[in-house]
Amino acid sequence: MASKPEKEQSVSTAKLVEMKQKGVKISSLTAYDAPTARLLNEAGVDVILVGDSVGMVKLGYENTLPVTLDEMLHHVKAVKRGNTRSLLVADMPYLTYELDLKETLRNAGRLIKEGGAHAVKIEGGLEIAGMVKELIKINIPVMGHLGLTPQALNRFGGYKVQGRKPQEAEKMLTDAKILEGAGAFALVLECVPPALAKEITRKLSIPTIGIGAGPHCDGQILVVDDMLGLSDGAPLKFVKRYADSRASMLKAVQAYCREVQAGSFPSAEHTFADAPKASDKLST
Ligand code: KIV
């Protein structure tokens, strides 16, 4: 049997732990489609997260709560088709992992088996530690998520920094240790004071990936549309816009509309010759 051409080795969960040990920072971004996954691979992003932020960023929901497993699967499969090298993590949407063990295992299993993700991410601490252990027993690596966990939006009463009060900070540190003990391979810390993120990072042997959690985490993650300037509205405090993509896309679409209305597009350059020519190819 002919062997398949070798694919570039994807970043593994073990590699992330090794990066922490060596003090090499981990870069992570979200992606929701194949071309973005290819772009992130080309740029050398270590971890791609298909976040349930897809609900707000791409599907027009007000928050992440309505996202379904089927919607996640649709986007995980697309990212999988574009991804060759990054560790691919899929978020488990609200109510797909909290209620029943068998259902949790089946849902996570679908993200791995049908979606092609390498790992899943779930939000919460002590209350989901049992699920983390059971997922790992069936060979599903788990990334944890503490701090501002958007699926708990209604309990928090809004998007607010978490862990500023001493008892909240203590609980987060305990939860982080519990998740590590349960076998999570990494932990997202979202909207956490930098001093607390630093302490959690120092006390864990697994990497922390921060978003709005300061510079001391082992890695950073942003929503790709936010950092590319694709999202409309003012960016959140922790988002750095590395490009102003929406503005340049808007300009391009406005120019197209103008040229179509003026009849200057398509010009001869973008029009086939009436008689066949050697140069008459579909691509330029
Ligand atoms: O859903 C998401 O995109 C996330 C990241 C921002 C961490 O959970």
Side-chain angles (χ1 to χ4, degrees), residues 251-280:
K251 262 196 201 155
V253 176
Q254 285 168 335
Y256 168 78
C257 291
R258 273 196 310 275
E259 290 190 11
V260 168
Q261 280 152 12
S264 58
F265 178 83
S267 64
E269 188 196 347
H270 298 106
T271 304
F272 294 112
D274 287 318
K277 268 187 180 175
S279 61
D280 211 9

Side-chain angles (χ1 to χ4, degrees), residues 30 32 49 51-53 91 121 145 188 190 211 221 223:
T30 66
Y32 314 105
L49 170 71
D52 60 355
S53 51
D91 241 340
K121 175 168 83 60
H145 187 161
V188 168
E190 181 163 353
I211 173 163
I221 183 164
V223 167

Side-chain angles (χ1 to χ4, degrees), residues 29-212:
L29 284 172
T30 66
Y32 314 105
D33 57 38
T36 307
R38 283 195 291 271
L39 184 87
L40 270 43
N41 278 186
E42 205 179 316
V45 168
D46 299 308
V47 180
I48 295 182
L49 170 71
V50 186
D52 60 355
S53 51
V54 68
M56 298 165 81
V57 178
K58 298 294 178 195
L59 305 178
Y61 295 142
E62 206 178 312
N63 53 50
T64 60
L65 299 178
V67 175
T68 67
L69 190 74
D70 284 338
E71 285 168 340
M72 281 302 299
L73 266 171
H74 180 77
H75 289 273
V76 174
K77 284 180 187 173
V79 171
K80 169 70 184 169
R81 288 190 282 268
N83 180 49
T84 54
R85 68 166 297 278
S86 308
L87 182 78
L88 176 52
V89 183
D91 241 340
M92 295 197 68
Y94 178 57
L95 286 194
T96 66
Y97 61 92
E98 299 91 332
L99 304 178
D100 175 76
L101 176 60
K102 261 199 175 162
E103 204 189 327
T104 303
L105 300 183
R106 190 158 290 121
N107 290 339
R110 287 189 69 197
L111 291 167
I112 304 290
K113 193 176 170 114
E114 295 172 41
H118 301 125
V120 298
K121 175 168 83 60
I122 54 184
E123 297 182 4
L126 171 66
E127 65 282 7
I128 51 111
M131 292 295 188
V132 174
K133 280 188 193 157
E134 295 300 324
L135 286 163
I136 291 161
K137 273 192 204 157
I138 61 161
N139 301 315
I140 300 182
V142 181
M143 178 183 263
H145 187 161
L146 292 174
L148 173 51
T149 45
Q151 294 174 17
L153 171 70
N154 292 325
R155 176 161 58 85
F156 293 146
Y159 296 104
K160 296 173 188 166
V161 174
Q162 300 296 312
R164 280 198 168 131
K165 293 186 187 138
Q167 67 273 28
E168 279 176 14
E170 199 51 49
K171 181 177 182 330
M172 207 184 299
L173 185 56
T174 305
D175 278 342
K177 285 189 184 156
I178 287 171
L179 289 172
E180 176 176 59
F185 71 87
L187 206 54
V188 168
L189 296 178
E190 181 163 353
C191 293
V192 171
L196 175 59
K198 186 177 183 182
E199 194 186 354
I200 294 175
T201 301
R202 195 171 56 79
K203 291 205 167 141
L204 296 188
S205 55
I206 56 168
T208 57
I209 315 276
I211 173 163

Side-chain angles (χ1 to χ4, degrees), residues 19-20 22-27 46 201 214-220:
M19 286 171 81
K20 173 171 178 127
K22 290 184 177 159
V24 179
K25 294 273 186 179
I26 298 161
S27 58
D46 299 308
T201 301
H216 308 295
C217 294
D218 299 302
Q220 297 292 328

